[in-house]
Amino acid sequence: MWFTTFVVFLGLMSDTLVYSIIIPIIPFRLQGLRYHHISSRLGWLLFAYSAGLVISTPPLASYSERYKNRQVPLILALVALILSQLFLMFARRFWLMCVARIIQGISSSGVMTAGLALLCDATPKKHIGRQLGIGMAGFSVGLVVGPPVSGALYSKFGYRAPFYFGMAFAGLDLIARLLVIERKHAIPWGIDPAADPDEARAKRQNPGNDSQALLIPGIASQSVGSLNPPTVAGVRTAQSSEIPITQPAPVDDAAQQIITPLDVLLRLVTSPRAVVCIFSTFVYGLVYSGQESVLVLHLAHTYHLDAYKSGLAFIAAVVPTLLSMPLTGYFADNKGAEWVSFLALLLGIPWWGVITLRGSLAQFLTIYAFETLFTSGLVSPLMTELAAVSRTIEGVGYAHVYGSFNLAFGVGSSVGPVLCGQIYDNVRHAWTVISLITVGLLAVCLVLSITFTGDRPLLQRVFGPFFQQKGGLVDVLGMKVLKDVSLSERRGQPEPYPGTPSIPVPQPTYGRV
């Protein structure tokens, strides 16, 4: 679990480091190449990245889930990342820079889809939020390291130096990805990384209690303790009850279901929880990338910062996320995603309005730090909620839901830079306009979150008498919506969401989703 978390952490760090390298230097590079309308062109470069991410996510998610293969997409993604750096390093034409950014977006979809699915594969269910938060901290570390290092290398050694640094770091990431052992390869050796260690320890202490044996999904008659790895001659010989390493374990029929990206989308839209997660991810991608696309220009026009100082300014935004993502992931596991997402939005929205106030640079950076501290805390509960949703919809796996997360973030981060770039070039008081649009979008997410997030949404907890459960529907103040029902609940075994009390759920009469 911890090594896989480290690999995902390093992969996200490498991806965002390379992504953020261009932020403080591309505006000055475009000016040096005598281009005009710099903010609009920077927006289109960020759009190209998001376009590559959106285009490549559905096939990568389908391949990863169909063949249960996470390592191959991760390695191919890293090759694409290095190739994109070579393109950007030598490009003098704007269209070639856009091609490089498309390739970089394709690379990002690999780690954001297969990488997060790999982490969930290797993590016990009760720790998924915590490990996702720690892994996603790599996203923040890359943003901390990328802009200031890029600005410093650019100022001292020229335009190509930051890209050499990015490719060297990607080489270290490649070594880590090659050392990954996926869950499907570990199970025949008697190790299930997704098994709860406390339960496994209890089973080992009571080996005679066969009825309580910890079963590995896909191996109906074998417990973890009975699976032993095949060894070379002279060490140990396989017993008849063991599964040889050369023979794949039998797989349950439900696990072999092959569904298309369209089927995944149709199944996800039946879940209000999934729809709210995807919409909130879209909004997060839009506001995050939109502000990012004009921040360097705003700092240059308002506070007269150059590439190096603009890169340092990003530290104020990113360092708080190193704390917020792991913490919100931990609390999402223990208290429920509904509480964490509500507090992250409630505490984050005001700072997007306050940041429009004109003051000193220190004041701006302080407000910017609090804005990102709370807003970035939304990511971990969203991912935890999607993992829970994937367990309630038959045939939908981790790669599918994180592919949807990646797709929503990609669409949002493609719309945001273009929209904000055009506003910044053509509207008076553009910074204020962009910030107020963000406040409105996040307020919509807040309302949706308290209404639908979690097994027991906060609105239901407060206004319980107004919520009447009828079969598979929930009557919310007169508005009927489909209630999420887990697979175990359909079999008459209630499975409460982490951090909430168990609620008896009637046996539903409908069939498969």
Side-chain angles (χ1 to χ4, degrees):
M1 175 179 69
W2 285 106
F3 178 74
T4 305
T5 303
F6 169 74
V7 171
V8 173
F9 174 93
L10 190 63
L12 287 169
M13 179 180 173
S14 176
D15 182 69
T16 53
L17 183 147
V18 169
Y19 168 85
S20 62
I21 272 177
I22 77 162
I23 293 174
I25 65 175
I26 280 294
F28 301 97
R29 173 67 169 175
L30 293 173
Q31 288 177 353
L33 294 174
R34 301 184 183 279
Y35 283 104
H36 302 288
H37 304 292
I38 303 301
S39 61
S40 295
R41 291 186 182 274
L42 183 60
W44 283 112
L45 282 175
L46 294 175
F47 172 83
Y49 167 87
S50 301
L53 187 148
V54 169
I55 292 170
S56 59
T57 291
L60 275 174
S62 296
Y63 171 84
S64 179
E65 198 61 44
R66 178 176 180 179
Y67 297 102
K68 300 297 179 184
N69 193 316
R70 320 299 192 194
Q71 191 174 32
V72 170
L74 285 173
I75 293 174
L76 293 179
L78 199 56
V79 173
L81 186 67
I82 295 173
L83 183 63
S84 71
Q85 295 301 283
L86 291 173
F87 273 59
L88 278 174
M89 186 189 303
F90 296 106
R92 298 184 64 84
R93 300 286 185 182
F94 183 72
W95 68 267
L96 191 57
M97 293 181 181
C98 290
V99 171
R101 292 290 284 178
I102 291 173
I103 297 174
Q104 194 172 339
I106 295 172
S107 167
S108 181
S109 67
V111 68
M112 289 293 290
T113 301
L116 295 177
L118 174 71
L119 179 55
C120 290
D121 287 343
T123 304
K125 185 170 59 175
K126 68 178 184 180
H127 296 312
I128 282 180
R130 182 191 68 186
Q131 300 305 118
L132 283 172
I134 295 172
M136 285 300 295
F139 186 91
S140 304
V141 174
L143 291 177
V144 168
V145 175
V149 168
S150 173
L153 292 175
Y154 174 77
S155 301
K156 190 170 183 64
F157 299 106
Y159 175 70
R160 295 182 181 178
F163 298 105
Y164 286 125
F165 174 75
M167 287 188 289
F169 196 89
L172 296 176
D173 189 13
L174 178 62
I175 296 174
R177 298 189 191 192
L178 289 172
L179 293 175
V180 166
I181 298 176
E182 296 188 55
R183 180 173 182 262
K184 65 179 183 180
H185 296 142
I187 285 177
W189 289 76
I191 299 173
D192 183 12
D196 188 331
D198 296 331
E199 293 182 8
R201 192 177 300 110
K203 306 306 186 285
R204 288 194 296 269
Q205 292 173 356
N206 300 280
N209 191 359
D210 294 333
S211 63
Q212 298 295 321
L214 179 62
L215 297 181
I216 299 174
I219 306 179
S221 61
Q222 300 289 337
S223 68
V224 172
S226 67
L227 291 171
N228 296 307
T231 57
V232 295
V235 180
R236 179 167 57 184
T237 58
Q239 300 175 4
S240 59
S241 63
E242 297 172 345
I243 300 178
I245 192 69
T246 56
Q247 296 181 6
V251 181
D252 187 62
D253 293 338
Q256 290 189 348
Q257 266 193 336
I258 298 174
I259 59 177
T260 65
L262 180 60
D263 292 332
V264 173
L265 179 62
L266 293 175
R267 296 185 185 197
L268 286 176
V269 297
T270 64
S271 167
R273 293 169 66 181
V275 172
V276 170
C277 281
I278 292 171
F279 177 77
S280 299
T281 303
F282 165 79
V283 171
Y284 179 80
L286 188 153
V287 301
Y288 169 80
S289 62
Q291 187 185 68
E292 179 186 71
S293 67
V294 299
L295 179 62
V296 173
L297 295 172
H298 177 70
L299 292 174
H301 293 161
T302 307
Y303 302 103
H304 311 290
L305 301 188
D306 57 14
Y308 174 65
K309 292 180 180 178
S310 296
L312 291 177
F314 272 89
I315 296 178
V318 178
V319 167
T321 66
L322 298 176
L323 181 66
S324 64
M325 288 187 180
L327 277 180
T328 54
Y330 171 80
F331 284 114
D333 280 336
N334 291 274
K335 303 298 182 182
E338 61 271 23
W339 285 106
V340 182
S341 59
F342 165 71
L343 291 174
L345 288 167
L346 183 67
L347 297 175
I349 289 174
W351 298 103
W352 288 88
V354 176
I355 204 171
T356 61
L357 299 177
R358 190 71 174 268
S360 65
L361 178 60
Q363 174 187 308
F364 177 86
L365 295 179
T366 301
I367 295 171
Y368 191 31
F370 279 105
E371 172 195 293
T372 55
L373 171 67
F374 294 113
T375 309
S376 64
L378 183 63
V379 176
S380 294
L382 285 178
M383 290 186 167
T384 306
E385 180 76 349
L386 283 172
V389 168
S390 72
R391 296 190 290 270
T392 68
I393 305 177
E394 190 171 354
V396 175
Y398 291 132
H400 290 141
V401 292
Y402 290 129
S404 302
F405 174 92
N406 206 28
L407 192 63
F409 181 83
V411 173
S413 58
S414 63
V415 173
V418 176
L419 175 65
C420 294
Q422 295 299 322
I423 291 174
Y424 200 85
D425 277 343
N426 299 289
V427 178
R428 292 186 62 187
H429 307 295
W431 182 257
T432 301
V433 172
I434 291 170
S435 299
L436 294 180
I437 290 174
T438 299
V439 169
L441 290 172
L442 292 177
V444 173
C445 292
L446 177 62
V447 173
L448 293 174
S449 176
I450 64 177
T451 307
F452 296 109
T453 298
D455 190 61
R456 291 185 64 210
L458 297 182
L459 193 64
Q460 180 180 354
R461 295 168 188 252
V462 176
F463 299 102
F466 295 96
F467 286 71
Q468 297 178 354
Q469 183 177 314
K470 298 178 180 179
L473 297 177
V474 176
D475 190 342
V476 185
L477 301 178
M479 179 181 64
K480 288 184 172 61
V481 295
L482 182 66
K483 181 187 184 295
D484 290 317
V485 181
S486 68
L487 296 179
S488 61
E489 287 176 340
R490 293 175 203 158
R491 301 184 181 99
Q493 303 168 356
E495 180 183 0
Y497 190 80
T500 61
S502 177
I503 303 174
V505 179
Q507 180 93 16
T509 58
Y510 54 88
R512 294 167 58 186
V513 174

